[in-house]
Amino acid sequence: MRILPMGPTAVLVEELPAPPASVATALAERRLPGVVDIVPAASTVLVTVDRTGALEAVVAALEGGIDAAGSEGGGAVVEIPVVYDGDDLDDVAALTGLTVDAVIRLHAGASYRVAFCGFAPGFAYLEGVPTELHLPRRATPRTRVPAGSVAIAATYSAVYPTSSPGGWHLLGRTDTVLFDVDIDPPALLRPGVGARFVAT
Amino acid sequence: MSLEVVESGMLSTVQDGGRPGWAHVGVPHSGVVDPSLAAVVNRLVGNPGDAALIETVGGLLVRATGPLTIASDTEPVARTVRAGDTIRVPLGGRQWHYLSIRGGVVAEPVLGSRSTDTLSGLGPAPLAAGDRLSAGAEPAEAPHGETVPVHHVVRPARILPGPRLDWFEPDVLEAMELGRWRVTTSSRVGVRLSGHALARVDGRELPSEGLVRGAIQVPPDGDPIMMLADHPTTGGYPVVAVVHPDDVSIVAQTTVGGDVTFRLVR
C-alpha cells in the first residue's frame, strides 16, 4: 500500500490489499473523527478530512492494516430489468464477432459489483463484464445519452442515472431509478453493491 | 420579504456550505467558491457563516419587495433596504461576489444543501430575471454594526506536492514557483491557468481517481487546471500539486486575464 499526498487535508491511497470499494467500506466502518469523504476509484481510495490534525489517525489506520474481508457491500444484489434494444447492439455484435442474442445473453448472464462511482451522481462503474464484451469507448461520444441507458465500455457496465453526454456502447434501457435525492440512500448502486441485469 | 432578480448578470446562484460526504456516489461537494469571504458577508447581517446567500460573478441587479437587511462584499456593511430599492453587484475587482440577506436565502435543500451545483445540476437552478428570493427566519445574532474590509489578497498561493508528482519533470514544482500563471478561464468547476506547459515524463493513461478542491490537474496540453467547488468527484488527469485550502480563494478570486504565482511548501 502506498499513501500519496493530496494537500494538508487528504491522502490518496494505492496498491491496496483489497478492491478499492472494499477498503473504502472497511475504512468507513472505523468511523474515524473528522473524516468527510472516502472515495474509491479504479485503483485508489481518496480520504478527505475536515481539519489538518485528523489526517494522522487516518494514516495510522491505513498503516495498521485494513481488514477488508466482509466489507463486500453486505451481499446486497440489485436486480435491474432491462429492455435490450440499445442503438449500439448491432455495432457491439459486429465488433465482438458475436450475434446480438449472444451479446444480450452474456451481458444479462453475468454478476456485477459496483467498483466505484463517478462522472455523475449515482453513476456506478460495474465490474464483471464478460471478457468477450470488453470494448474501447465509442470513437465519437454522443452529445446526449438518455437516462436509464444500459451501456458498456472497457471492462465496465453502467446505467446512466440522468441524461448526459456519453461515449459508452448502448445495449438497452431500464426504468429503474438510479439516483433520487428524496430516497435514503439516494444512490441505488453504491461502491461494493452487487447487481444483475434481467432481460425483459 | 424578498429580493426580486431584475438582471441575473454573469452566473448568479444560491450557495451555502455544500454537500460534503456524498463524493463516493459521484455527488460533487459544491457550495461557495470562497468560504471565508462568504462567511464574512453572512456575519455582517448576523447569519451563521455558512448560511445560504447569493454568489455572483457580477452584473446582478436585484430589487427589494419590502424591508430587508442585506450586505455584500462590494458594500461590506449591513444595511436596511425598503420596497423598491435596488442593489447592484458589479463585475470585476474579484471573480466571485457575495450578497447576503439577514435570515439567509430560502431554498429547498437537496441532500442537505441549498447550493446550485453547476456540474451535476443538483440544487436550485441558477438565478434568472423574475426570480424571488425570500429571507429565512431572523437569526438571534444582531447585524454587524461596522464596515468590514474585504480586500482581495494578492500573494503567492501555497502549493504542496501532489500525488502524481512523479509523472512530471523532476523540477516541475520549482518551475511552477518561478512562473507567472495567467487565469484563462474560470468557472465554479475549475480555474484554467496558462504559463508554460507542464511537461509529463509519464505518458500513461491515468485511471480515474478522487479529486479535492485546490488539486491542480494537468491535461495533455500541459495547461494546469485548479479544481473548485463543483469539481467532479474523480478525474483522469494526473494531479501535480495541491493548493493549500486556505489559499485556494487567492487563485479562484483572480479575474480572467489576471496573474497568480505559487510558493512551494512541503
Side-chain angles (χ1 to χ4, degrees), chain A residues 28 33 47 60 65 69 98 102 104 107 114 119 141 147 174 184:
Chain A
V47 186
L98 299 164
I104 295 169
H107 188 261
V114 179
F119 179 62
T174 181
D184 184 23

Side-chain angles (χ1 to χ4, degrees), chain A:
Chain A
M1 191 163 59
R2 284 180 77 203
I3 299 174
L4 304 170
M6 189 65 114
T9 52
V11 286
L12 187 71
V13 195
E14 66 175 4
E15 295 173 14
L16 301 164
S22 305
V23 172
T25 305
L27 191 60
E29 282 165 0
R30 298 275 189 98
R31 300 192 178 282
L32 296 171
V35 170
V36 177
D37 277 299
I38 302 175
V39 190
S43 58
T44 58
V45 174
L46 174 78
V47 186
T48 69
V49 296
D50 60 8
R51 54 186 182 273
T52 322
L55 212 48
E56 284 167 25
V58 172
V59 171
L62 289 166
E63 286 174 341
I66 294 292
D67 180 13
S71 299
E72 298 279 328
V77 177
V78 176
E79 288 207 346
I80 300 170
V82 179
V83 178
Y84 281 96
D85 61 356
D87 285 348
D88 296 330
L89 268 180
D90 290 338
D91 283 353
V92 169
L95 288 165
T96 56
L98 299 164
T99 63
V100 166
D101 278 352
V103 169
I104 295 169
R105 221 171 28 246
L106 279 167
H107 188 261
S111 295
Y112 299 87
R113 185 172 298 282
V114 179
F116 60 98
C117 296
F119 179 62
F123 189 101
Y125 290 75
L126 294 159
E127 56 191 7
V129 178
T131 50
E132 297 94 316
L133 297 179
H134 291 185
L135 287 175
R137 287 167 195 233
R138 284 165 50 85
T140 311
R142 287 184 172 84
T143 52
R144 185 177 176 279
V145 173
S149 294
V150 175
I152 55 170
T155 59
Y156 298 111
S157 187
V159 185
Y160 283 75
T162 48
S163 301
S164 67
W168 292 38
H169 304 273
L170 309 185
L171 302 185
R173 58 195 158 84
T174 181
D175 291 333
T176 302
V177 174
L178 274 291
F179 189 80
D180 184 340
V181 295
D182 295 323
I183 295 174
D184 184 23
L188 182 67
L189 298 176
R190 302 173 299 282
V193 169
R196 295 188 68 81
F197 294 107
V198 181
T200 58

Side-chain angles (χ1 to χ4, degrees), chain B residues 94-107:
Chain B
R94 54 169 62 91
Q95 183 70 22
W96 303 97
H97 298 285
Y98 294 95
L99 175 65
S100 64
I101 314 174
R102 181 166 167 79
V105 173
V106 173

Side-chain angles (χ1 to χ4, degrees), chain A residues 2 4-10 12 14 36-42 44 46 48 117-118 120-122 179 181 186-187 190-191, chain B residues 20-28 110-111 120 122 160-164 166 207-212 233-234 239 242 244-245:
Chain A
R2 284 180 77 203
L4 304 170
M6 189 65 114
T9 52
L12 187 71
E14 66 175 4
V36 177
D37 277 299
I38 302 175
V39 190
T44 58
L46 174 78
T48 69
C117 296
F179 189 80
V181 295
R190 302 173 299 282
Chain B
W22 296 104
H24 63 293
V25 288
V27 176
V110 173
L111 298 177
S120 75
L122 294 180
L160 294 91
R164 301 298 169 197
D166 57 354
S208 285
E209 56 191 29
L211 288 170
V212 298
T233 55
T234 61
V239 171
V242 179
H244 192 285

